[in-house]
Amino acid sequence: MYWHAMFLQELKSVLQNVPEIVEVVGISDVKRILEITEQDGQEKVKSALRSIFTKLMSASKDMITEVTSKMINRLHSESQVRQLTEKERLVLELEKQYPSDVGVITAYFFNYVKLNPGEALYLGANEPHAYLFGECIECMATSDNVVRAGLTPKHMDVNTLCSMLTYKQGFPEILQGIPLNPYVRKYLPPFDEFEVDSCNLPEQESTVFPAVPGPSILLVALGEGIMYSNSPRGDVIIEGDVLFIPANTELNIRSASRLQLYRAGVNSSFFHPSS
């Protein structure tokens, strides 16, 4: 209920303070949201949110261009008399990159998440997201589709996207990772498909990736070093290398310079299901 109440309050605030959204979706759907109380179930909020989001995403290009221009002009004017919110500043930045894009307006319906080095988050199936800036490693489960609907020059399939989304409310869980040793951390999302180990190794240091029961893939994101596995002869690894690691293989790594490595493999829960 905590997340539901907080999300509902934020959604109402958006509809009350962003008149351009109301102009696109119409007052009746907006009133439907504003009249929902914390005692109403999440399904009622989901239904209303689905209706508003679908109308916004389905609006004509001309309509989006017009209301986006109004919104940007309003925010520039209001910035002269008050400090804009973090989300409003984000909207201005997005509009510079993707002018007249519906994704600029729909940013108000998304969480704005900033990750610090070493942090991770996971996204379940049918959860929309947009990567904005910075460097990250992304690991994806096997999928039969990637559906786009904004902030992209690529093909957009609005109808499919709006019909498949979960409209789940809340903030994503930030994963800090589980330390395996001073230099290696394991990130365990709550599904079987994969897990990720990260390694940040200073120059002229050594560490171990413990053996895991499944096969995995190792990515060298930065630096160079030597990797020892089942053979006493070490293999030189350098930035950009991608290596297949068989199951039950312990890796010993020594760095020649600062080294960043990532290993992706089958989630441990697949081999050790809870009783």
Side-chain angles (χ1 to χ4, degrees):
M1 177 62 76
Y2 170 73
W3 283 119
H4 170 48
M6 193 169 85
F7 173 83
L8 181 59
Q9 182 181 5
E10 182 180 354
L11 179 58
K12 288 183 177 182
S13 177
V14 166
L15 298 177
Q16 290 167 332
N17 293 287
V18 188
E20 295 81 15
I21 293 177
V22 181
E23 184 174 346
V24 176
V25 304
I27 191 63
S28 60
D29 271 335
V30 172
K31 287 179 63 178
R32 184 179 166 198
I33 289 281
L34 296 179
E35 291 171 357
I36 294 176
T37 68
E38 294 181 14
Q39 284 68 45
D40 292 315
Q42 287 200 24
E43 289 305 317
K44 188 171 183 178
V45 181
K46 280 186 180 182
S47 175
L49 178 58
R50 181 185 294 109
S51 178
I52 283 182
F53 189 78
T54 301
K55 284 186 178 180
L56 186 58
M57 293 298 301
S58 304
S60 69
K61 181 68 174 178
D62 288 344
M63 169 67 84
I64 295 300
T65 299
E66 179 183 347
V67 297
T68 300
S69 178
K70 287 182 181 179
M71 181 175 62
I72 298 305
N73 290 335
R74 175 177 61 80
L75 290 177
H76 281 307
S77 297
E78 293 183 10
S79 68
Q80 304 302 311
V81 296
R82 68 173 177 88
Q83 184 174 359
L84 297 182
T85 67
E86 189 174 49
K87 184 68 72 67
E88 288 171 333
R89 295 194 298 271
L90 170 64
V91 164
L92 291 177
E93 287 299 316
L94 291 177
E95 199 277 334
K96 291 178 184 178
Q97 299 177 60
Y98 301 96
S100 302
D101 191 300
V102 68
V104 175
I105 304 177
T106 55
Y108 281 107
F109 293 91
F110 285 64
N111 292 302
Y112 184 26
V113 183
K114 292 184 178 181
L115 295 177
N116 297 311
E119 294 181 335
L121 61 80
Y122 66 88
L123 294 159
N126 299 331
E127 294 291 346
H129 63 280
Y131 167 73
L132 300 178
F133 61 87
E135 293 184 351
C136 71
I137 297 295
E138 181 180 28
C139 186
M140 295 178 62
T142 302
S143 172
D144 61 357
N145 63 69
V146 175
V147 182
R148 302 178 181 89
L151 301 181
T152 177
K154 299 179 181 179
H155 173 69
M156 295 186 287
D157 190 341
V158 172
N159 291 334
T160 298
L161 180 86
C162 292
S163 65
M164 67 189 283
L165 296 183
T166 65
Y167 298 97
K168 185 170 66 176
Q169 304 130 47
F171 195 83
E173 179 184 357
I174 305 300
L175 304 179
Q176 303 293 337
I178 303 166
L180 303 182
N181 59 50
Y183 303 117
V184 180
R185 301 182 76 85
K186 181 179 293 292
Y187 297 85
L188 288 162
F191 40 72
D192 290 345
E193 281 83 355
F194 62 81
E195 64 185 30
V196 175
D197 295 341
S198 74
C199 172
N200 283 283
L201 195 59
E203 184 176 352
Q204 299 300 323
E205 291 286 348
S206 299
T207 193
V208 175
F209 277 91
V212 292
S216 56
I217 295 174
L218 185 79
L219 167 66
V220 185
L222 178 71
E224 61 180 281
I226 299 177
M227 179 181 73
Y228 301 89
S229 54
N230 291 328
S231 169
R233 180 181 64 85
D235 296 304
V236 174
I237 54 175
I238 61 173
E239 179 177 333
D241 282 352
V242 179
L243 302 99
F244 174 79
I245 310 300
N248 302 309
T249 302
E250 181 180 85
L251 301 179
N252 290 270
I253 309 288
R254 181 165 184 83
S255 59
S257 64
R258 178 170 170 251
L259 196 57
Q260 278 190 337
L261 306 170
Y262 296 89
R263 179 172 69 172
V266 181
N267 196 298
S268 300
S269 63
F270 178 80
F271 301 101
H272 308 290
S274 58
S275 56

